[in-house]
């Protein structure tokens, strides 16, 4: 019964891939997204049943290679992430029905529909994979299908660069995963994700490789640079899937490994916590300065991934220090934040897609006044912004609160040095969440409020119904999973004693009603619309006088100027020898892309230097190559003789 | 939701609503005396609010629903937050009411929507106010969190009601380290209520204003709601400091005598604190915007010091 859900979901998704490629019509595309919507419903039911009953389905193994079977498996962890995939997919598939029609040509529309389904299928299969083989195979399918979607507009120079960057980073991630899995395979002799009862010193290499591999895919600092390139290049529905789901698949893989290790070490937790905290704060600080709406959201994803890793790090630390209740609270917080981020970030990316579609630009400075022109989109976007800024009673707040609570109770820890580390990371974490609020006031305020700044924004109109419905689904999830958070978590077996948001929400609504009645009964309730905004006696308000996105973030840029790393260089020449009469000169302010210029480019340069040396060995003569093979075999034999 | 909690909600929130404007006037009065002026009467704020309540609301044509719902939402959020800070008596704790993190983020809701309001009408002043408020609040947030974490560290709970219940019995602060936190809490009150040296609530000069800039477009009833919400916020933040540092007289059971005593005690203590805030404001000059983070660092330092003292005690 349970298996039937998953099989029909997979078949529906496969049909969704094939249909638009075979039939190539608008109706086929609609049917294809209908199929992905259907599969999301099936998956919701499947994951819901597993999470609620704890029953695990049994899948038969399929012979793949001798000694390597291909198996499917689902437990509570995978069910949680399937729930996440299904929740995002349901919104995205409704949205895409209309959105995909804006692609440039018929072929691209068909391809985008097929690839979207393939991408969803691949992510689902990664989570369902019962062993490392299946995991890696579908991991590659996931990476390549998303790469093709990033390159959907392959003629644009910017997208080509984004695609290349994404390709390199994702290959690097796979390479690290391979190394990690191979070292695990050497240790255990099997490709299953079984429990790992080995001392931590044996697992160090696997841990480092898997942490790097999954960290690259999840967008952890300093491997985050592909996100701000790839997300703006991809269509918005795909950005929603990539940011909402694909990054979480990496989190899933990492958790799958980490939870199976029986004796991790404290420095693992510390490393994860510090990497998470750094990603969170740097992600949001970079986002504050950004004026490209999709790039801003991409940086904000880096921040949220950082928050999730913070939770995982806290889990390990508390677990190793023997405080089980706090370990559970942080792990549940990390998983719940992964779920919430999937919802509000896909909502925001879909909303951004609508705005970009309506105005034709991604530049926030060109928006303004859209709340009058696209009221429904604005309302949905506001829900997403409130949720991501972590305001109660939405779900975004609940998961952050769980992590805060774990931090606040850390006085129970025995180790003073760990306590000091936690105080430092707590203050950075608080900074992150406050900056996120500032960021989304800026994004919502500059995009939707005040007067339109350009003609593009002036002429914007509300998007078609399916796109609005597609956004409404995650928006509803954001609010409901926030209000019922303590009940849902209790239902899943996490009795964490967190505040009841439903009660708070009800009191808040009641208080609003009370205030309204109070105001209504005191004096006349007259309102009037004035001619214009008061502006100290100016004759007519002009959009150019409004605050801009850059202006809004200026104080923060000044406060954090050490992090933005600007380089000011000037040259000057003088007409006289004493240097007093100025002749001419140049001055340049350059914003250093720190990780790109100080980390990636030197590494890339070194790699290209080595490879150019290696390429000199290639002379095209067969006898030389035979010699190389001979030397290689000889070296290998010597090594195996002495070291193995 | 039992009867005692309902009684608490009515009494506590009602009392806070009633006395909040008084402390606003009191601070103004103290400032005026310090400057050698007579100053407005203590009831002036109530009269102002009543006057504003009678007036019509004028909206800018550029403004949207944000401008219309924010005043209601702000006051509602602060009424909700007032349930988190017992002043008249301490009820049995109830489903997360009193959780200090929720309290912190209820204040964040008010800030978020006020800042959006500032951007709504498209006036340059509003945008400037929002930008400054959000930037500075991002910098003060770690301080607030660390101060509250320090409270949680010392008192071993994250619930304000339980914290007050612990401190209520004692005549001196529960732990000597709590005196350090009170410095941070004092600075937090100054920052959160927009007082000198952070913001100047008395001017309409574009260079100094923050909170005033964002509500420039508000009028009539809406302005009254926003002013009232601001006053309530100040009162509950003051109450946190008072109940931690000087918790004498806070009632733990419900009798008419103990309730009136605790109300009276709070009035006296809060008036003293309001006087102190007024004196502090009169004795210091408005700081430059970018000097403020260092002012906050002082508060941060004291909270962090408290935690460190607890850790290595």
């Amino acid at each position: 019964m349970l298996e039937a859900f998953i099989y029909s979901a997979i078949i529906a998704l496969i049909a969704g891939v094939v249909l638009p490629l075979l039939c190539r019509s608008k109706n086929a595309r609609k049917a294809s997204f209908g199929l992905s919507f259907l599969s999301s419903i099936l998956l919701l039911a499947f994951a819901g049943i597993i999470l609620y009953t704890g029953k695990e389905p049994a899948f038969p193994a399929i012979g793949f290679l001798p000694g390597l079977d291909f198996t499917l498996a689902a437990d509570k962890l995978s069910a949680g992430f399937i729930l996440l995939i299904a929740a995002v997919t349901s919104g995205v598939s409704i949205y895409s029905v209309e959105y995909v029609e804006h692609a440039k040509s018929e072929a691209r529309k068909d391809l985008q529909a097929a690839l979207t389904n393939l991408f969803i299928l691949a992510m689902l299969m990664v989570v369902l994979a019962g062993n490392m083989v299946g995991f890696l195979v579908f991991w590659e399918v996931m990476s390549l299908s998303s790469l093709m979607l990033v390159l959907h507009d392959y003629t644009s120079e910017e997208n080509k660069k984004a695609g290349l960057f994404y390709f390199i980073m994702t290959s690097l991630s796979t390479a690290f995963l391979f190394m990690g899995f191979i070292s695990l395979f050497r240790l255990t002799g099997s490709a299953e994700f079984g429990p790992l009862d080995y001392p931590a010193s044996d697992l160090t290499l696997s841990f480092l490789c898997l942490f790097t591999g999954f960290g690259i895919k999840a967008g952890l600092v300093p491997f985050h640079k592909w996100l701000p390139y790839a997300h703006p290049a991809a269509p918005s529905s795909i950005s929603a899937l990539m940011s909402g789901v694909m990054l979480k698949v990496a989190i899933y893989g990492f958790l799958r490994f980490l939870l199976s290790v029986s004796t991790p070490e404290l420095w693992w937790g510390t490393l994860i916590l510090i990497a998470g905290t750094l990603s969170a704060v740097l992600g949001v600080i970079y986002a504050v300065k950004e004026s490209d709406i999709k790039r801003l959201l991409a940086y904000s994803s880096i921040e949220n991934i950082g928050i999730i890793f913070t939770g995982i790090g806290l889990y390990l630390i508390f677990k190793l220090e023997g405080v089980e209740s706090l370990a559970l609270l942080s792990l549940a917080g990390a998983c719940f934040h992964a779920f919430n981020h999937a919802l509000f970030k896909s909502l925001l990316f879909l909303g951004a897609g609508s705005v970009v579609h309506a105005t034709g630009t991604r530049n926030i400075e060109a928006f303004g006044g859209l709340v009058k022109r696209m009221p429904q989109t604005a309302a949905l976007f506001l829900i997403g912004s409130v949720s991501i800024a972590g305001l109660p009673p939405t779900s975004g707040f609940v998961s952050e609160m769980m992590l805060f609570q774990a931090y606040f109770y850390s006085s129970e820890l025995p180790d003073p040095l760990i306590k000091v580390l936690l105080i430092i990371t707590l203050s950075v974490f608080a900074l992150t969440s406050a900056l996120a609020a500032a960021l989304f006031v800026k994004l919502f305020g500059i995009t939707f409020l005040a007067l339109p700044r350009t003609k593009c924004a002036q002429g914007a109109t509300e998007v078609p119904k399916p796109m609005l419905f597609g956004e409404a689904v995650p928006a509803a999830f954001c609010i409901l999973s926030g209000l019922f958070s303590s009940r849902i978590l209790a239902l899943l077996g996490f009795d964490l004693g967190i505040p009841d948001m439903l009660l708070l929400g009800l009191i808040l609504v009641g208080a609003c009603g009370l205030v309204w009645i109070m105001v209504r009964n005191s004096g006349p309730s007259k309102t009037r619309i004035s001619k214009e905004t008061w502006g100290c006696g100016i004759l007519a308000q002009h959009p150019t006088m409004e605050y801009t996105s850059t202006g809004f973030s200026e104080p923060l840029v000044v406060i954090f100027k050490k992090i933005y790393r600007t380089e000011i260089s000037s040259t000057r020449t003088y007409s006289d020898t004493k240097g007093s009469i100025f002749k001419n000169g140049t001055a340049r302010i350059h914003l250093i892309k720190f990780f790109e210029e100080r980390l990636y480019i030197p590494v890339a340069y070194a790699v290209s230097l080595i490879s150019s040396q290696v390429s000199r060995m290639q002379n095209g003569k067969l006898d030389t190559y035979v010699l190389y093979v001979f030397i290689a075999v000889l070296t290998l034999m010597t090594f195996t003789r002495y070291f193995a | 939701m039992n009867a005692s909690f309902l009684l608490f909600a009515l009494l506590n929130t009602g009392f806070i609503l009633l006395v909040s404007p008084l402390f606003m006037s009191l601070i103004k009065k103290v400032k005026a005396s310090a400057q050698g002026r007579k100053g407005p009467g203590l009831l002036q704020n109530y009269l102002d609010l009543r006057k504003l309540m009678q007036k019509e609301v004028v909206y800018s044509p550029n403004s949207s629903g944000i401008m219309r719902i924010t005043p209601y939402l702000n006051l509602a959020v602060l009424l909700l937050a007032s349930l988190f800070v017992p002043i008249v008596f301490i009820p049995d704790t109830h489903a997360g009411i009193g959780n200090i993190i929720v309290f912190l983020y209820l204040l964040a809701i008010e800030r978020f929507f006020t800042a959006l309001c500032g951007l709504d009408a498209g006036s340059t002043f509003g945008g400037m106010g929002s930008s400054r408020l959000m930037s500075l609040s991002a910098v003060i947030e770690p301080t607030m969190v660390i101060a509250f974490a320090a409270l949680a560290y010392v008192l071993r709970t994250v619930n304000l009601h339980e914290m007050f219940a612990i401190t209520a019995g004692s005549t001196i602060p529960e732990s000597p380290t709590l005196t350090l936190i009170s410095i941070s809490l004092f600075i937090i009150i100054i920052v959160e209520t927009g007082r000198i040296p952070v913001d100047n609530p008395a001017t309409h000069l574009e260079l100094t204003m923050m909170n005033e800039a964002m509500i420039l477009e508000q009028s009539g009833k809406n302005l009254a709601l926003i002013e009232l919400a601001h006053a309530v916020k100040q009162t509950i933040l003051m109450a946190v400091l008072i109940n931690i540092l000087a918790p004498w007289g806070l009632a733990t059971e419900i009798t008419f005598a103990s309730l009136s005593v605790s109300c009276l005690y709070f009035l006296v203590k809060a008036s003293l604190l309001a006087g102190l805030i007024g004196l502090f404001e009169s004795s210091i000059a408005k700081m430059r915007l970018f000097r403020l983070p260092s002012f906050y660092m002082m508060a941060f330092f004291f909270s962090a010091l408290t935690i460190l003292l607890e850790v290595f005690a």
Side-chain angles (χ1 to χ4, degrees):
Chain A
M1 173 59 197
L2 209 49
E3 293 80 18
F5 279 118
I6 215 80
Y7 289 137
S8 28
I10 292 174
I11 290 167
L13 282 171
I14 294 175
V17 179
V18 180
L19 200 64
L21 294 180
L22 286 182
C23 299
R24 316 203 56 170
S25 68
K26 190 176 175 189
N27 284 334
R29 288 194 291 270
K30 271 188 185 165
S32 148
F33 285 117
L35 285 166
S36 46
F37 182 72
L38 177 72
S39 73
S40 74
I41 300 291
L42 291 167
L43 291 175
L44 274 179
F46 173 77
I49 292 172
I50 293 188
L51 283 173
Y52 185 62
T53 62
K55 208 166 64 180
E56 290 182 13
F59 294 105
I62 305 159
F64 186 65
L65 279 172
L68 289 178
D69 283 339
F70 174 69
T71 52
L72 295 180
D75 56 4
K76 274 197 171 183
L77 182 66
S78 20
F81 282 86
I82 291 174
L83 192 71
L84 182 159
I85 295 176
V88 176
T89 305
S90 58
V92 169
S93 54
I94 303 174
Y95 182 87
S96 301
V97 170
E98 198 61 45
Y99 182 76
V100 79
E101 299 302 324
H102 304 121
K104 276 183 188 151
S105 69
E106 284 295 309
R108 283 190 194 182
K109 291 176 195 173
D110 296 327
L111 209 56
Q112 199 176 320
L115 282 172
T116 305
N117 274 295
L118 181 67
F119 185 37
I120 296 168
L121 178 66
M123 293 192 290
L124 172 67
M125 294 307 284
V126 171
V127 175
L128 274 176
N131 60 14
M132 295 168 191
V133 183
F135 190 94
L136 283 176
V137 168
F138 286 107
W139 182 269
E140 269 310 276
V141 177
M142 174 179 93
S143 302
L144 292 178
S145 54
S146 55
L147 173 67
M148 283 189 266
L149 284 162
V150 168
L151 280 171
H152 82 117
D153 193 7
Y154 57 90
T155 44
S156 126
E157 207 49 56
E158 196 189 344
N159 286 13
K160 270 190 236 174
K161 190 185 165 202
L164 183 66
F165 208 138
Y166 179 53
F167 178 66
I168 292 171
M169 290 309 270
T170 198
S171 311
L172 207 60
S173 151
T174 314
F176 274 105
L177 289 192
F178 252 108
M179 284 200 282
F181 282 151
I182 286 173
S183 70
L184 275 184
F185 187 81
R186 271 179 59 97
L187 198 64
T188 61
S190 101
E192 301 297 313
F193 292 123
L196 297 166
D197 294 320
Y198 299 92
S201 53
D202 288 356
L203 290 166
T204 303
L205 180 66
S206 328
F207 167 70
L208 285 177
C209 286
L210 291 179
F211 179 62
T212 316
F214 287 124
I216 293 172
K217 196 68 178 182
L220 212 55
V221 169
F223 316 117
H224 61 286
K225 281 302 292 203
W226 66 267
L227 275 128
Y229 287 114
H231 282 57
S236 292
S237 57
I238 301 306
S239 311
L241 281 175
M242 281 172 72
S243 189
V245 190
M246 190 176 74
L247 307 185
K248 309 299 151 24
V249 172
I251 304 266
Y252 162 79
F254 190 54
L255 276 179
R256 169 70 59 201
F257 162 72
L258 214 55
L259 295 178
S260 64
V261 178
S262 56
T263 51
E265 268 187 284
L266 197 59
W267 69 265
W268 293 18
T270 317
L271 177 69
I272 298 171
L273 178 64
I274 292 174
T277 311
L278 269 183
S279 302
V281 74
L282 287 180
V284 72
I285 284 181
Y286 289 136
V288 162
K289 191 153 170 58
E290 203 49 67
S291 287
D292 177 320
I293 185 166
K294 289 182 77 180
R295 193 167 292 162
L296 183 149
L297 290 174
Y299 274 120
S300 144
S301 290
I302 297 167
E303 176 222 333
N304 282 282
I305 288 296
I307 293 176
I308 296 167
F309 270 90
T310 303
I312 299 174
L314 283 178
Y315 157 73
L316 267 191
I317 290 177
F318 286 129
K319 191 180 162 210
L320 291 170
E321 296 278 307
V323 193
E324 282 295 332
S325 60
L326 291 186
L328 185 67
L329 185 64
S330 343
L331 184 63
C335 291
F336 197 41
H337 197 77
F339 181 72
N340 293 332
H341 177 245
L343 291 172
F344 51 64
K345 192 47 67 65
S346 56
L347 166 59
L348 289 170
F349 264 120
L350 296 181
S354 300
V355 170
V356 172
H357 164 65
T359 57
T361 166
R362 293 202 308 258
N363 188 359
I364 299 174
E365 310 281 18
F367 301 152
L370 293 180
V371 69
K372 294 265 172 60
R373 287 152 190 84
M374 314 169 71
Q376 281 110 328
T377 307
L380 293 165
F381 203 89
L382 182 64
I383 294 177
S385 306
V386 164
S387 197
I388 199 170
L391 302 183
T394 55
S395 60
F397 166 70
V398 179
S399 43
E400 278 188 33
M401 178 189 63
M402 287 156 84
L403 296 184
F404 268 122
Q405 199 142 319
Y407 266 123
F408 275 33
Y409 275 122
S410 61
S411 54
E412 292 174 24
L413 286 175
D415 188 349
L417 281 180
I418 292 292
K419 280 193 202 174
V420 174
L421 172 74
L422 290 190
I423 296 164
I424 297 168
T425 47
L426 168 61
S427 41
V428 179
F429 185 60
L431 177 66
T432 308
S433 97
L435 282 173
L439 174 64
F440 282 91
V441 166
K442 163 181 141 169
L443 181 58
F444 184 83
I446 305 287
T447 306
F448 288 99
L449 302 179
L451 286 172
R453 293 181 178 78
T454 55
K455 285 227 167 60
C456 325
Q458 189 98 50
T461 48
E462 188 60 280
V463 291
K465 283 272 179 315
M467 286 166 77
L468 287 173
F469 280 127
E471 291 165 37
V473 172
F477 268 115
C478 274
I479 293 176
L480 292 179
S481 70
L483 286 177
F484 293 97
S485 52
S486 56
R487 283 173 179 74
I488 294 172
L489 287 168
L491 210 63
L492 302 183
F494 295 108
D495 204 2
L496 302 164
I498 53 168
D500 186 357
M501 284 298 137
L502 186 60
L503 180 70
L504 281 183
L506 286 177
I507 298 181
L508 190 59
V509 172
C512 277
L514 209 68
V515 173
W516 188 73
I517 292 169
M518 195 172 89
V519 171
R520 213 180 155 69
N521 291 337
S522 64
S525 50
K526 259 174 71 185
T527 58
R528 180 160 62 86
I529 307 258
S530 69
K531 282 227 173 60
E532 63 188 325
T533 302
W534 181 75
C536 291
I538 50 167
L539 293 177
Q541 197 189 5
H542 194 267
T544 50
M545 301 178 85
E546 289 167 18
Y547 239 57
T548 59
S549 155
T550 317
F552 191 90
S553 47
E554 182 62 18
L556 283 171
V557 172
V558 171
I559 292 170
F560 294 106
K561 63 172 180 283
K562 293 240 163 56
I563 293 174
Y564 291 111
R565 312 285 300 234
T566 43
E567 203 173 53
I568 300 172
S569 53
S570 59
T571 56
R572 49 178 90 183
T573 50
Y574 298 96
S575 336
D576 61 335
T577 48
K578 285 180 183 151
S580 51
I581 302 170
F582 186 71
K583 194 167 140 202
N584 59 28
T586 55
R588 201 171 68 103
I589 300 177
H590 171 61
L591 190 72
I592 299 176
K593 293 176 175 167
F594 179 75
F595 290 99
E596 223 168 308
E597 294 182 15
R598 298 286 150 85
L599 184 70
Y600 294 169
I601 292 179
V603 169
Y605 185 70
V607 169
S608 93
L609 207 67
I610 295 169
S611 35
S612 68
Q613 294 296 319
V614 171
S615 73
R616 280 167 56 188
M617 291 161 66
Q618 197 175 16
N619 59 6
K621 286 181 187 152
L622 189 63
D623 49 348
T624 323
Y625 293 144
V626 172
L627 179 68
Y628 289 156
V629 171
F630 181 68
I631 294 171
V633 169
L634 209 64
T635 325
L636 210 63
M637 278 167 69
T638 327
F639 263 90
T640 43
R641 180 80 177 76
Y642 287 102
F643 294 101
Chain B
M1 188 74 73
N2 50 21
S4 113
F5 186 76
L6 273 180
L7 182 71
F8 165 75
L10 279 177
L11 282 181
N12 205 57
T13 310
F15 183 66
I16 289 177
L17 266 180
L18 198 67
V19 298
S20 292
L22 178 70
F23 299 128
M24 282 292 205
S25 309
L26 193 61
I27 294 178
K28 270 186 204 154
K29 187 87 182 166
V30 171
K31 276 172 74 178
S33 316
Q35 293 162 1
R37 291 186 285 120
K38 191 159 158 272
L42 283 179
L43 295 179
Q44 190 58 50
N45 256 7
Y46 296 93
L47 299 176
D48 286 349
L49 285 176
R50 202 184 67 183
K51 185 184 72 189
L52 283 175
M53 275 293 183
Q54 307 297 326
K55 292 200 164 189
E56 67 171 352
V57 182
V58 183
Y59 291 113
S60 151
N62 308 333
S63 66
S64 67
I66 295 281
M67 202 78 154
R68 286 155 178 82
I69 58 164
T70 302
Y72 295 86
L73 190 70
N74 271 2
L75 188 57
V77 162
L78 282 155
L79 291 183
L80 176 56
S82 74
L83 293 180
F84 285 60
V85 189
I87 290 176
V88 287
F89 72 94
I90 303 172
D92 312 329
T93 44
H94 207 282
I97 299 281
N99 187 303
I100 207 163
I101 304 154
V102 182
F103 177 69
L104 201 64
Y105 277 85
L106 286 176
L107 300 185
I109 297 186
E110 190 241 21
R111 215 184 288 139
F112 189 89
F113 279 92
T114 311
L116 282 184
C117 242
L119 287 166
D120 198 14
S123 102
T124 319
F125 292 120
M128 185 179 64
S130 315
S131 157
R132 289 179 177 177
L133 176 84
M134 290 320 280
S135 307
L136 290 180
S137 73
V139 189
I140 192 72
E141 190 85 350
T143 309
M144 282 180 93
V145 166
I146 289 291
F148 284 166
L151 284 179
Y153 253 71
V154 177
L155 301 168
R156 314 248 157 206
T157 168
V158 295
N159 194 305
L160 274 172
H161 291 196
E162 285 172 22
M163 286 182 188
F164 292 172
I166 293 170
T167 53
S170 55
T171 45
I172 51 159
E174 187 65 22
S175 156
T177 45
L178 283 180
T179 9
L180 286 179
I181 301 184
S182 56
I183 300 175
S184 312
L185 287 176
F186 185 79
I187 294 180
I188 288 170
I189 296 175
I190 300 285
V191 177
E192 277 294 306
T193 55
R195 305 216 149 267
I196 291 176
V198 178
D199 187 5
N200 191 348
T203 66
H204 280 257
L205 282 172
E206 62 271 28
L207 286 176
T208 58
M209 64 188 179
M210 233 156 75
N211 280 311
E212 287 298 317
M214 286 180 290
I215 58 171
L216 264 183
E217 279 297 313
Q218 298 285 3
S219 53
K221 291 179 166 184
N222 290 1
L223 184 59
L225 290 177
I226 284 187
E227 298 280 1
L228 187 57
H230 196 66
V232 168
K233 181 172 165 188
Q234 175 173 310
T235 309
I236 54 184
L237 282 171
M238 278 160 65
V240 172
L241 174 58
I242 288 170
N243 285 337
I244 293 293
L245 188 69
W248 322 298
L250 186 58
T252 41
E253 77 267 22
I254 313 165
T255 59
F256 184 72
S258 67
L259 291 187
S260 30
V261 166
S262 77
C263 285
L264 203 65
Y265 260 111
F266 180 78
L267 272 180
V268 173
K269 287 185 288 188
S271 305
L272 285 176
L273 182 57
L276 194 65
I277 293 174
L279 286 178
F280 180 77
E281 251 194 291
S282 318
S283 63
I284 198 164
K286 168 88 179 65
M287 276 187 181
R288 262 187 69 210
L289 188 72
F290 294 113
R291 290 277 306 281
L292 285 171
S294 52
F295 177 61
Y296 298 174
M297 274 315 282
M298 200 159 76
F300 183 80
F301 169 74
F302 283 111
S303 326
L305 189 64
T306 312
I307 298 189
L308 288 179
L309 285 175
E310 283 293 315
V311 167
F312 293 106

